[in-house]
Amino acid sequence: MKWTLSLALLASLWLAGCAAPGPASPDSSPTLPSATRATTPGTARLPDALPPVRVTELRGNQVAALETPADLWERIRRGYAMPELQDELVQRHEQWYGTRPDYIERMVERSRLYLFHVVEELELRGMPTELALLPYIESAFNPQAVSSAKAAGMWQFMPGTGRDFRLTQNILRDDRRDVLDSTRAALDYLQKLHDMFGDWHLALAAYNWGQGNVKRAIERNQAAGLGTRYLDLKMPAETRNYVPKLQAVKNIIAQPQHHGAVLPLIENHPFFDTVEIKHDIDVDMAARLAQVRLEDFKALNPSQRKPVIFAAGTPQVLLPWNNAAVFQKALAKAEPTSLSSWTAWVAPQNLPSREVASRFGMDEQDLREMNNIPRGMVIKSGSTVLVRRGNGATTAVASHVVNNAQLAYAPEIVLRRTSVRARKGDSIASVAARYDLPAATVAGWNHASAGARLKPGQAVVLFLPVRASAAAMREGAEHARPAAPHGRAGRAAAERKGPAGPGKAAAPARAERPSKGGAGRSKPAVAPARQPAATTKGASKKPRR
């Protein structure tokens, strides 16, 4: 009985301690019971008092939808978060798109491959999903689109901006066209611009016009006491129409029936999957292993500029969802050495294309076409060239080669044996100076000393570039031409008189025109003749322009 009363007393004391309000303020944190609290001898250890539980009521005017969106369009609509732009230009662009249903259908069909990925990336970042519609404005969702200003890819990155956001651009690949990398870079850039301006419309204007231009436009309006919103700023017509175009597309997606549009179905699931590769593989081989059409494979992997994918630079490929597993199984069974027929080779020194082709058992024309090398060009040292893969070549080219692959070349200096006539008072040295050649070299060609005097009309042997050689021969035929004056002023005067002057005789073969497929490169207008088998040192010196 005593034990029963004692237990009942302890229980009542413990409950009273729990119920008693503590001295802590409502904003303070609850006090947990202490297991090491000191007690006096003979007294029971009781837990610390806990404050009353505060009740918080959560209120909201929106309830999150639990059902899965029926299609990708509905998913995009649910994520709209940008402020609406009300402007006459929006209505004008709505009418433009509304009268071109075929154009909308082509754009949507092209975007079917990429749109799900873009929407997922936006949702993961907490960004407005209408930004997934921006490639419709930029490129009509064409990853191979290139603007007149050299912007490329479905997000239209300029070369410099692409490099700022880690998009590799070299002779083997252009990551501005890559589906995954360009989307990552575009969303990074848009987030940066939004953080900078605090407004999505201004961020989009900066994406199109440049952040510096938008910043200066805002500063001009601030100085003039004007507004600083998108519609307040003075900007080029392209940027003025940029956000209204996006708003128009956004409105059509939101209410297609209202605008008389029919949106092709895009289901709410991934179109492609990524598959890792560890060995270099030909593009057509990858398509065959995946059992997809070559054009479909290229559409998902548009960054490749050559017929081979280098694993060190592109460690994964994109494939239609149902074909990814097919590719993985076939790849696991394939012999690594059979996957690629091409490899990348770095030139150790300046070499003519014919010598490189001979080294790898290739036809010179095939080598030049594969690498976009014009005829008569020397491949410069350090250049990366695509060549046929030999039996002993590695199955994966090193990353420093494929990530820094550049190709540079220069016209091959081809000399022709030419005979010119000496003028009155000429010497070996004066003839050499006339054609900008070393006197010792000309003396060697003519088995004479550098200071030897020449008789008028005496033949002098020279090795000159092809065009300069033709000019020199014409000069020799004009017997009545007076001797060329010496000195800088005299040479300048002679150049003004016509093509026989010293500067004209040493002119390059012909004005060069850009080479197809290579920015900043050139090719000669005519194919030069072959160089003599042996010449004296200095004979190949390029004439001064």
Side-chain angles (χ1 to χ4, degrees):
M1 185 69 177
K2 291 181 180 181
W3 284 108
T4 303
L5 290 174
S6 298
L7 290 173
L9 177 61
L10 287 174
S12 62
L13 289 174
W14 184 80
L15 291 173
C18 290
S25 64
D27 294 332
S28 62
S29 301
T31 303
L32 297 177
S34 175
T36 58
R37 186 176 180 86
T39 57
T40 56
T43 62
R45 179 159 46 187
L46 300 177
D48 291 341
L50 296 175
V53 176
R54 291 182 297 158
V55 178
T56 302
E57 183 177 358
L58 299 177
R59 293 184 179 181
N61 54 9
Q62 291 184 351
V63 178
L66 297 180
E67 70 277 6
T68 302
D71 57 27
L72 196 56
W73 301 122
E74 179 60 29
R75 186 174 177 179
I76 292 174
R77 295 184 194 109
R78 292 184 185 183
Y80 280 178
M82 286 171 51
E84 300 294 316
L85 183 69
Q86 303 294 336
D87 187 69
E88 181 269 337
L89 285 175
V90 175
Q91 299 176 4
R92 187 182 304 176
H93 290 299
E94 287 176 351
Q95 295 172 358
W96 190 92
Y97 285 113
T99 58
R100 291 165 175 81
D102 293 344
Y103 179 72
I104 294 178
E105 184 177 357
R106 288 196 303 272
M107 286 199 309
V108 171
E109 188 61 31
R110 194 182 294 123
S111 70
R112 184 186 305 277
L113 283 64
Y114 322 111
L115 193 58
F116 180 90
H117 172 73
V118 178
V119 173
E120 285 238 311
E121 290 298 307
L122 287 167
E123 289 179 344
L124 288 172
R125 294 167 179 248
M127 298 172 70
T129 53
E130 55 260 59
L131 291 174
L133 309 176
L134 192 59
Y136 286 125
I137 312 304
E138 285 287 354
S139 64
F141 259 104
N142 180 6
Q144 297 294 355
V146 180
S147 74
S148 58
K150 305 303 180 184
M154 65 184 184
W155 294 98
Q156 288 291 282
F157 270 96
M158 293 291 288
T161 309
R163 286 188 289 269
D164 291 341
F165 286 88
R166 308 189 311 280
L167 297 178
T168 299
Q169 302 156 61
N170 58 35
I171 63 169
L172 303 179
R173 75 180 196 272
D174 186 349
D175 285 346
R176 294 179 298 166
R177 295 177 168 89
D178 185 88
V179 177
L180 304 184
D181 287 339
S182 68
T183 300
R184 182 266 310 159
L187 302 192
D188 285 348
Y189 191 21
L190 287 167
Q191 279 187 318
K192 174 186 175 182
L193 294 172
H194 182 260
D195 293 342
M196 181 181 299
F197 295 106
D199 180 279
W200 279 116
H201 292 163
L202 293 178
L204 288 167
Y207 188 89
N208 176 258
W209 190 24
Q211 60 195 54
N213 290 325
V214 172
K215 184 178 179 181
R216 285 187 289 272
I218 292 174
E219 291 172 349
R220 284 193 296 269
N221 276 26
Q222 288 175 335
L226 302 174
T228 58
R229 310 296 287 179
Y230 175 80
L231 294 176
D232 299 324
L233 302 181
K234 184 178 180 181
M235 58 184 65
E238 179 183 333
T239 310
R240 171 63 64 210
N241 285 271
Y242 190 66
V243 176
K245 283 183 181 179
L246 180 62
Q247 182 69 54
V249 173
K250 172 182 174 180
N251 293 346
I252 293 172
I253 300 301
Q255 295 180 310
Q257 300 86 355
H258 177 73
H259 297 278
V262 178
L263 298 178
L265 174 65
I266 300 183
E267 296 179 347
N268 186 27
H269 61 68
F271 182 89
F272 62 78
D273 195 7
T274 59
V275 180
E276 182 182 358
I277 59 173
K278 296 181 179 179
H279 304 283
D280 303 340
I281 184 171
D282 289 347
V283 171
D284 56 355
M285 171 67 76
R288 287 201 303 271
L289 294 181
Q291 298 181 18
V292 299
R293 297 187 308 165
L294 183 60
E295 52 267 35
D296 293 338
F297 183 88
K298 289 181 176 180
L300 286 174
N301 300 274
S303 64
Q304 304 304 313
R305 285 178 158 171
K306 300 297 181 183
V308 57
I309 302 173
F310 293 98
T314 307
Q316 59 187 11
V317 295
L318 306 187
L319 293 168
W321 188 267
N322 294 332
N323 296 85
V326 174
F327 177 79
Q328 286 177 313
K329 291 179 181 178
L331 186 63
K333 296 178 181 178
E335 175 63 33
T337 57
S338 67
L339 296 176
S340 173
S341 55
W342 299 94
T343 189
W345 176 77
V346 180
Q349 61 191 46
N350 291 0
L351 291 169
S353 58
R354 60 180 175 273
E355 185 174 329
V356 176
S358 176
R359 179 176 298 196
F360 290 95
M362 295 179 61
D363 179 75
E364 183 184 0
Q365 179 69 16
D366 293 341
L367 174 74
R368 289 193 290 103
E369 288 181 356
M370 177 57 65
N371 294 279
N372 297 320
I373 302 173
R375 185 184 296 277
M377 289 290 174
V378 173
I379 300 169
K380 289 189 173 182
S381 176
S383 293
T384 302
V385 184
L386 208 65
V387 297
R388 286 289 180 185
R389 183 181 176 277
N391 293 331
T394 177
T395 60
V397 178
S399 60
H400 71 273
V401 173
V402 298
N403 290 327
N404 299 283
Q406 300 295 335
L407 175 60
Y409 43 79
E412 184 178 3
I413 304 301
V414 179
L415 305 179
R416 175 184 291 173
R417 187 181 189 279
T418 307
S419 180
V420 300
R421 299 294 177 179
R423 302 168 183 172
K424 185 178 179 180
D426 264 346
S427 65
I428 290 292
S430 65
V431 173
R434 187 178 305 153
Y435 295 100
D436 200 15
L437 294 169
T441 299
V442 177
W445 290 339
N446 291 274
H447 307 289
S449 64
R453 307 297 298 179
L454 300 172
K455 296 178 181 180
Q458 182 178 343
V460 181
V461 175
L462 301 175
F463 286 93
L464 298 175
V466 175
R467 191 59 179 264
S469 172
M473 293 177 68
R474 288 196 302 269
E475 176 188 356
E478 298 175 5
H479 300 291
R481 182 175 297 279
H486 298 283
R488 180 180 302 175
R491 286 197 297 270
E495 289 177 9
R496 291 193 295 271
K497 290 182 180 179
K504 297 294 181 180
R510 185 176 294 181
E512 297 171 350
R513 62 174 181 263
S515 165
K516 181 179 179 182
R521 303 174 191 143
S522 58
K523 64 180 180 181
V526 293
R530 295 182 66 86
Q531 188 170 348
T535 58
T536 308
K537 182 179 180 182
S540 62
K541 182 177 179 181
K542 188 176 180 180
R544 188 180 303 154
R545 297 196 175 206

